[in-house]
Amino acid sequence: MSTIRPSLALTCRRKLAAHCCRARYISSSSRRCNSPSVPSIARLLDEGPPNPDHVVVNGYVRSIRELKRVCFANIGDGSSRESMQAVLTHEQAKGLSYGSAVKMTGAWKPCRPNAKQSHELEVSGVDIYGPMDASTYPIQKASMTPEFLRTMPHLRTRTPFNSLLLRLRSTCIAEITKFLNEEGFTQTHTPIITSSDCEGAGEVFNVNSSRKDAGLDGGEAYFFKDAKYLTVSSQLHLEALAQSVGNVWTLSPTFRAEKSDTSRHLSEFYMLELEMSFVDDMKVVMDMVEKMIQQTTRGLLRSRLAKELTVRSQGGTEILPERWKILAQGSWPRITYTKAIGLLRSSGEPFDHLPAWGEGLGIEHEKYLAELHKSPVFVTHYPRSIKPFYMLASSTSTDQEETVDCFDLLLPNAGELVGGSMREHRLDPLIISMQAKGLVAPGLPASITDEQMGALKWYIDLRRWGSIPHGGFGLGFDRLLGYLADVPNIREINTFPRWVGRCEC
Amino acid sequence: MSTIRPSLALTCRRKLAAHCCRARYISSSSRRCNSPSVPSIARLLDEGPPNPDHVVVNGYVRSIRELKRVCFANIGDGSSRESMQAVLTHEQAKGLSYGSAVKMTGAWKPCRPNAKQSHELEVSGVDIYGPMDASTYPIQKASMTPEFLRTMPHLRTRTPFNSLLLRLRSTCIAEITKFLNEEGFTQTHTPIITSSDCEGAGEVFNVNSSRKDAGLDGGEAYFFKDAKYLTVSSQLHLEALAQSVGNVWTLSPTFRAEKSDTSRHLSEFYMLELEMSFVDDMKVVMDMVEKMIQQTTRGLLRSRLAKELTVRSQGGTEILPERWKILAQGSWPRITYTKAIGLLRSSGEPFDHLPAWGEGLGIEHEKYLAELHKSPVFVTHYPRSIKPFYMLASSTSTDQEETVDCFDLLLPNAGELVGGSMREHRLDPLIISMQAKGLVAPGLPASITDEQMGALKWYIDLRRWGSIPHGGFGLGFDRLLGYLADVPNIREINTFPRWVGRCEC
């Protein structure tokens, strides 16, 4: 009988009568699990226990096999894709099922020579942390489809591969944070609720208090006086900070209210955005993209994740390390958009659509260009007409072919990962460019009033006093993780994915 | 005359006629600033230049003084609170004003023995990056009130102290990331848009597409089928991940649609939330709070920020290091709420309100308790009636005094920084607790249907299969930075602060 804590017992004893557990359940009076002193299973497998005669393991039963004399249980705790093998008596295994949360104590013994693992736990004691009805548990030992698992993001991370994706995300963040810190970049927190819905990045979400009378004086329609939106990009705010403290970056949630139902788009996703100040050559920004991704990937290659992801390869080939090697080194080709259009048009490939100069590239074209080079490829200098207002005109522009100093980084089999540009840092050309997109009222730049500048007046301000040349980029962080893990659908990468009509938990 | 890039020149030449600049402005044809090879001013001041005869500096004029023979300019770039002194001829200083963005080249020379700095830049060349009309520049050299600066968060970070706050945030993030990574914690990205508005943390913001017809089929009222909200806490989602991968944390934007107009509350702020799995003793969680804050502060003490913040102290006393020393060491007292109420009631202090057992503590009480101990203080075991549904009942509860296993960490002069608890990990007691708060329909826990569980069914699910004891905490990250910088109002700490009626940029 598990000991119900006194207060609840006093008030709800009858209701809890059903909460009857086996004697082996850990009761609150004998509770002792204190994780800091208990090593993770990854550590146990990698380094062995400090004291082989007395090992304590916390984890979940991933499988259980009953033989004639003994039972074998595989125990995982999410720290490793592999599980630890435990040997139990039939008596000890009683009540255990797939998914049970357990504490096991025992001795660390060498396995037979041909076994998959070098050691196993010879169990002396088992405690079960809580009841487990395997018959209703939605997570099955058998393979489940990604679509099925997406219906329960709160449980799917319990599977070995999905918990590995969590660790991949964490390790990537740590590597990037370390790298950019060492490079002298300042990590910033740019705002999520913003005033502008007109940065040209597509549909936006709006935000308001859920109470109708939430305004300052009790009678207003808006909590923040007027309409506010979820950020579609941190770039504009980062530019303000780059003029304050030098090179800056952020890893921030970003939002698009688009109805896209694709494997590459979500309504909520993480973007790594970075801005470099006192830079007037786009090469410097592309060099930083290359260096950051390469250093991060090298960090991953040194981690145990590299080994864990190799396990996924099929037919004996090590698919994943190849992908990682591509990202870890080399000088990635840089071609202009104009050249890219030429390559595509002369390729003879049966594209769904063959782009002409002045049109955007589709995913089929992006993949083709990267696969052609067998490498990540920077495509630079796109036409101004298909790019946002803030990009700097290229010095190589002609009257016929007006381009901007911008680039996309395309990956083999994956398409666009990074988009960046030099920013228009001169006041009058910026105003003219914003006028062309309808963001600022028409008129001579010199005589534009604050009201005519509209919601982005603050952004124009940055060019009014002490403006500097600068450039930066945004990297789709979930896309990077998807590429590294060879998971084509971003809905498996984002822990709690949101898209049109879908927002579980 | 600055060279306008060809394309814009071709299309807008007349409009740009007013954009006439002095010859010394950096033109796009001679553009060369390339930050990676140019050291920051902080590095120059700390380490000196690699080649003292040829130094290049990018920065902003913070002050300029004209003497009879020469001019002195102080140049800052946000990397250091101190600025670098440059010595120029009157000719070189022409056109420079407070706020000008400049590139200076010259030689690194020792100053006179009594000077504030050891070295100064003897300038050989000056380039101005862009026009600067000092007469309209809202940022003045003279001291400006925090209230005035709040009206322009896009410019206030240019002041030396506000850029220091950006660097403090960055260094703190890097130290915490490093510490938790080394402790084996997995950093996660919990969702911002969530399904539940009922976690008991106050008013929420709701989110929807700004297009009325944004639903899946073009005619629905909601983008995500039903109402969605901005997260008020990542804890519930973190609990799901703690059952998947072990100890987890997140540093996430968090939102409250409360009308609070105080120095301690914002509508958008960053929370560091952490969850420890297989832990059944709250002491372990409090130990982690203590260790994390102490290690982070020790990291800061080793950084140049410690020295920079010391400059702020008044009357010669080093106020800030004292604050940091308090956070960097010691075993912080832990007292129960019941004892705290006793201390407050017997203190004889003229509180605005004297709390009785069962009432929450106000900021005046929190500050008193921490100042009484001259240390951060954990106050533990609050009454269940004033705490959220998910907290675990204390084993020491009595019929008269029902408490939960929770704690708040209170700081001298600042009040609450951290709130944490053990979580109710048992299925039936959780359902009963949620019923008591009206979150689940009444009825015997065993026979509750999915529909009756409501929006938090997924959270209840976590207890249905393989539940484990666990606990965690949330730390107000902006509050921590405010305490470290001795800035009492969180609106100065948060880079783009949002509160009721206010959302600049």
Side-chain angles (χ1 to χ4, degrees):
Chain A
M1 187 76 189
S2 81
T3 307
I4 303 302
R5 293 181 170 225
S7 60
L8 275 168
L10 288 165
T11 50
C12 338
R13 189 166 290 147
R14 264 175 312 163
K15 289 182 183 174
L16 287 174
H19 189 72
C20 171
C21 313
R22 276 173 290 268
R24 295 196 298 120
Y25 284 107
I26 294 177
S27 70
S28 55
S29 58
S30 69
R31 60 206 174 89
R32 278 288 162 271
C33 44
N34 302 353
S35 71
S37 59
V38 177
S40 69
I41 286 175
R43 203 166 147 193
L44 202 58
L45 295 175
D46 291 350
E47 304 169 18
N51 177 2
D53 295 330
H54 184 71
V55 175
V56 181
V57 169
N58 286 314
Y60 309 89
V61 176
R62 284 192 182 162
S63 70
I64 190 151
R65 263 186 312 145
E66 303 199 8
L67 302 187
K68 203 169 173 184
R69 293 191 175 194
V70 292
C71 296
F72 288 104
N74 284 314
I75 310 296
D77 65 355
S79 68
S80 165
R81 201 168 176 191
E82 300 160 274
S83 46
M84 179 205 75
Q85 181 161 284
V87 192
L88 308 92
T89 64
H90 284 273
E91 182 58 30
Q92 286 168 333
K94 212 171 273 177
L96 291 188
S97 65
Y98 173 69
S100 296
V102 291
K103 173 185 173 182
M104 288 189 171
T105 49
W108 197 237
K109 301 275 174 156
C111 297
R112 288 158 307 161
N114 294 335
K116 271 172 85 177
Q117 292 191 326
S118 70
H119 287 75
E120 61 192 8
L121 187 73
E122 199 178 273
V123 174
S124 57
V126 181
D127 290 299
I128 302 174
Y129 282 114
M132 168 76 204
D133 181 359
S135 68
T136 61
Y137 191 31
I139 301 287
Q140 297 302 311
K141 217 178 81 180
S143 182
M144 292 158 287
T145 66
E147 290 75 15
F148 174 69
L149 285 169
R150 270 178 222 151
T151 63
M152 41 186 176
H154 61 302
L155 298 176
R156 74 170 172 177
T157 47
R158 297 181 178 194
T159 67
F161 185 64
N162 280 284
S163 66
L164 183 153
L165 292 179
L166 285 177
R167 288 183 287 113
L168 175 65
R169 179 177 292 270
S170 181
T171 307
C172 257
I173 302 171
E175 288 292 339
I176 288 175
T177 303
K178 183 165 160 272
F179 168 73
L180 290 174
N181 196 40
E182 285 168 1
E183 290 282 318
F185 279 74
T186 300
Q187 184 171 4
T188 64
H189 285 150
T190 44
I192 306 302
I193 301 175
T194 60
S195 292
S196 166
D197 65 343
C198 54
E199 292 165 33
E203 300 290 338
V204 297
F205 287 106
N206 59 9
V207 174
N208 204 4
S209 167
S210 55
R211 283 179 56 157
K212 290 290 165 242
D213 66 340
L216 192 57
D217 305 320
E220 293 177 359
Y222 290 111
F223 184 86
F224 292 114
K225 277 194 192 139
D226 44 27
K228 299 296 169 196
Y229 311 91
L230 292 186
T231 183
V232 293
S233 159
S234 304
Q235 178 202 317
L236 306 192
H237 295 88
L238 268 188
E239 286 185 60
L241 304 180
Q243 270 182 270
S244 304
V245 76
N247 295 345
V248 290
W249 70 290
T250 188
L251 181 56
S252 177
T254 309
F255 305 85
R256 305 273 161 92
E258 277 160 15
K259 290 196 221 171
S260 328
D261 192 8
T262 81
S263 63
R264 292 167 48 79
H265 297 89
L266 289 173
S267 298
E268 175 179 330
F269 53 100
Y270 266 78
M271 280 260 276
L272 191 160
E273 292 182 88
L274 183 152
E275 203 67 29
M276 299 179 78
S277 55
F278 297 108
V279 165
D280 56 8
D281 187 344
M282 191 164 74
K283 183 182 168 299
V284 176
V285 182
M286 288 190 281
D287 288 347
M288 182 53 65
V289 171
E290 208 173 280
K291 191 172 176 189
M292 186 186 79
I293 295 175
Q294 292 188 352
Q295 292 273 68
T296 301
T297 310
R298 277 182 228 149
L300 292 172
L301 277 167
R302 287 189 296 269
S303 75
R304 83 191 304 277
L305 285 161
K307 196 181 72 180
E308 290 186 273
L309 278 162
T310 307
V311 179
R312 285 190 72 233
S313 68
Q314 290 171 330
T317 57
E318 295 195 348
I319 296 166
L320 278 165
E322 197 51 51
R323 221 161 234 263
W324 289 28
K325 274 176 210 159
I326 281 177
L327 286 195
Q329 61 202 11
S331 191
W332 300 338
R334 297 170 187 193
I335 61 172
T336 64
Y337 165 86
T338 303
K339 184 176 175 195
I341 291 291
L343 287 170
L344 292 166
R345 294 188 69 86
S346 63
S347 68
E349 288 286 311
F351 294 121
D352 288 343
H353 172 78
L354 188 63
W357 202 98
E359 294 174 0
L361 302 183
I363 179 77
E364 56 177 342
H365 313 121
E366 294 176 345
K367 285 183 179 177
Y368 172 80
L369 290 167
E371 283 150 32
L372 184 68
H373 289 84
K374 296 187 173 60
S375 161
V377 176
F378 288 100
V379 176
T380 67
H381 301 93
Y382 284 68
R384 168 174 289 284
S385 57
I386 57 171
K387 287 292 175 181
F389 71 89
Y390 50 73
M391 293 188 177
L392 186 69
S394 313
S395 56
T396 53
S397 286
T398 65
D399 208 8
Q400 286 72 43
E401 294 190 346
E402 188 182 354
T403 64
V404 283
D405 275 1
C406 71
F407 63 86
D408 280 357
L409 178 69
L410 314 179
L411 298 185
N413 307 306
E416 186 196 342
L417 175 67
V418 180
S421 79
M422 298 307 295
R423 321 305 188 184
E424 178 55 80
H425 63 282
R426 299 162 304 165
L427 181 61
D428 290 359
L430 178 69
I431 290 176
I432 292 164
S433 178
M434 292 176 80
Q435 286 172 329
K437 302 272 181 186
L439 299 172
V440 166
L444 278 176
S447 54
I448 292 289
T449 64
D450 286 0
E451 284 67 37
Q452 289 173 315
M453 289 186 197
L456 287 177
K457 174 195 167 292
W458 69 269
Y459 182 72
I460 296 171
D461 272 359
L462 304 179
R463 275 68 176 170
R464 292 164 83 175
W465 303 287
S467 184
I468 55 169
H470 62 288
F473 64 83
L475 176 151
F477 192 66
D478 301 284
R479 287 188 183 174
L480 174 63
L481 299 179
Y483 186 75
L484 288 163
D486 197 11
V487 170
N489 197 321
I490 204 169
R491 293 170 187 173
E492 271 59 82
I493 292 294
N494 194 289
T495 316
F496 293 92
R498 277 91 176 83
W499 71 96
V500 61
R502 287 291 288 274
C503 175
E504 317 285 347
C505 305
Chain B
M1 189 78 188
S2 82
T3 307
I4 304 302
R5 294 185 170 222
S7 60
L8 276 166
L10 288 165
T11 50
C12 337
R13 189 167 290 147
R14 265 174 311 162
K15 288 182 183 174
L16 286 175
H19 190 72
C20 171
C21 313
R22 278 171 291 267
R24 296 198 296 119
Y25 283 107
I26 294 177
S27 71
S28 55
S29 58
S30 70
R31 61 210 173 83
R32 277 288 165 269
C33 44
N34 302 354
S35 70
S37 58
V38 176
S40 69
I41 286 178
R43 204 165 147 195
L44 202 58
L45 295 175
D46 291 351
E47 303 169 18
N51 176 3
D53 294 329
H54 184 70
V55 176
V56 181
V57 170
N58 285 314
Y60 309 88
V61 175
R62 284 190 181 165
S63 70
I64 189 151
R65 265 184 312 146
E66 303 198 7
L67 302 186
K68 204 171 172 185
R69 294 190 174 196
V70 292
C71 295
F72 287 104
N74 283 312
I75 311 297
D77 66 353
S79 68
S80 164
R81 200 170 177 187
E82 299 160 274
S83 46
M84 178 205 76
Q85 182 160 285
V87 193
L88 308 92
T89 65
H90 284 275
E91 183 58 29
Q92 286 169 334
K94 213 172 272 176
L96 291 187
S97 65
Y98 173 71
S100 295
V102 292
K103 173 185 173 184
M104 288 188 172
T105 49
W108 196 237
K109 300 277 172 154
C111 297
R112 287 158 306 162
N114 294 335
K116 271 172 87 177
Q117 292 191 327
S118 71
H119 288 73
E120 61 193 9
L121 187 73
E122 199 177 271
V123 174
S124 57
V126 181
D127 290 299
I128 302 175
Y129 281 111
M132 168 76 205
D133 181 359
S135 68
T136 60
Y137 192 31
I139 300 288
Q140 298 301 312
K141 217 180 82 182
S143 180
M144 290 157 289
T145 65
E147 289 77 13
F148 174 69
L149 285 168
R150 269 178 224 152
T151 63
M152 39 187 175
H154 60 302
L155 298 176
R156 74 171 174 177
T157 45
R158 297 181 178 196
T159 67
F161 185 64
N162 281 282
S163 66
L164 184 152
L165 292 179
L166 285 177
R167 287 183 286 115
L168 175 65
R169 179 178 293 269
S170 180
T171 308
C172 256
I173 300 171
E175 289 291 339
I176 287 173
T177 303
K178 183 164 160 273
F179 169 73
L180 290 174
N181 196 38
E182 285 169 2
E183 290 282 318
F185 279 74
T186 300
Q187 184 170 3
T188 64
H189 285 152
T190 44
I192 306 301
I193 300 174
T194 59
S195 292
S196 165
D197 66 342
C198 55
E199 292 167 31
E203 301 289 340
V204 295
F205 287 106
N206 59 10
V207 174
N208 204 3
S209 167
S210 56
R211 283 179 56 155
K212 290 290 164 243
D213 66 339
L216 191 57
D217 305 321
E220 291 178 359
Y222 290 110
F223 185 87
F224 293 114
K225 278 193 191 143
D226 46 26
K228 298 297 168 193
Y229 312 92
L230 292 185
T231 182
V232 293
S233 160
S234 303
Q235 178 201 316
L236 306 192
H237 294 89
L238 269 187
E239 287 184 60
L241 305 180
Q243 269 181 272
S244 303
V245 76
N247 294 344
V248 289
W249 70 290
T250 188
L251 180 57
S252 178
T254 310
F255 304 86
R256 306 274 161 92
E258 277 160 15
K259 290 197 221 171
S260 327
D261 191 7
T262 81
S263 64
R264 292 167 48 78
H265 297 89
L266 288 173
S267 298
E268 174 179 330
F269 53 99
Y270 266 78
M271 281 260 277
L272 190 160
E273 293 182 87
L274 183 153
E275 204 67 30
M276 299 179 78
S277 54
F278 296 108
V279 166
D280 56 8
D281 187 344
M282 190 164 73
K283 182 181 170 300
V284 176
V285 182
M286 289 189 281
D287 288 347
M288 182 53 65
V289 172
E290 208 172 281
K291 191 173 176 188
M292 186 187 79
I293 295 175
Q294 293 187 352
Q295 292 273 68
T296 301
T297 311
R298 276 181 228 149
L300 291 172
L301 277 167
R302 286 188 298 267
S303 77
R304 84 191 303 278
L305 285 163
K307 195 180 74 178
E308 291 186 273
L309 278 162
T310 308
V311 179
R312 283 192 74 233
S313 70
Q314 290 171 329
T317 57
E318 295 194 348
I319 296 167
L320 278 167
E322 194 53 50
R323 222 162 233 262
W324 290 27
K325 274 177 209 159
I326 281 175
L327 286 196
Q329 60 201 11
S331 191
W332 300 338
R334 298 171 188 193
I335 62 173
T336 64
Y337 165 86
T338 303
K339 185 175 173 195
I341 290 292
L343 286 171
L344 292 167
R345 294 189 68 86
S346 63
S347 67
E349 287 286 311
F351 294 120
D352 288 344
H353 173 77
L354 187 64
W357 202 98
E359 293 174 1
L361 301 184
I363 179 75
E364 58 178 341
H365 314 121
E366 293 176 346
K367 285 183 179 179
Y368 172 81
L369 290 167
E371 283 149 32
L372 183 70
H373 290 83
K374 295 187 174 58
S375 161
V377 177
F378 289 100
V379 176
T380 66
H381 301 92
Y382 285 68
R384 168 174 288 280
S385 56
I386 57 170
K387 288 292 176 183
F389 71 89
Y390 50 73
M391 292 187 178
L392 187 68
S394 312
S395 57
T396 53
S397 286
T398 65
D399 209 8
Q400 288 73 43
E401 295 191 347
E402 188 182 355
T403 64
V404 282
D405 274 1
C406 72
F407 63 87
D408 281 355
L409 178 68
L410 314 179
L411 298 185
N413 307 306
E416 184 195 345
L417 174 68
V418 180
S421 79
M422 298 306 296
R423 321 305 187 184
E424 179 54 81
H425 62 283
R426 298 162 302 166
L427 180 62
D428 290 359
L430 178 70
I431 291 175
I432 292 165
S433 177
M434 292 176 82
Q435 287 172 328
K437 303 272 182 185
L439 299 173
V440 166
L444 279 178
S447 53
I448 293 288
T449 64
D450 287 359
E451 285 66 37
Q452 289 173 314
M453 288 185 196
L456 287 177
K457 173 194 167 293
W458 69 269
Y459 182 72
I460 296 171
D461 271 358
L462 303 179
R463 276 66 178 173
R464 291 164 85 175
W465 304 288
S467 185
I468 55 168
H470 61 288
F473 63 83
L475 176 150
F477 192 65
D478 302 284
R479 287 187 183 175
L480 173 64
L481 299 179
Y483 187 76
L484 289 164
D486 196 13
V487 170
N489 197 320
I490 203 168
R491 292 169 187 174
E492 271 60 80
I493 292 296
N494 195 289
T495 315
F496 293 93
R498 278 91 174 84
W499 69 98
V500 62
R502 288 291 289 274
C503 176
E504 317 286 346
C505 306

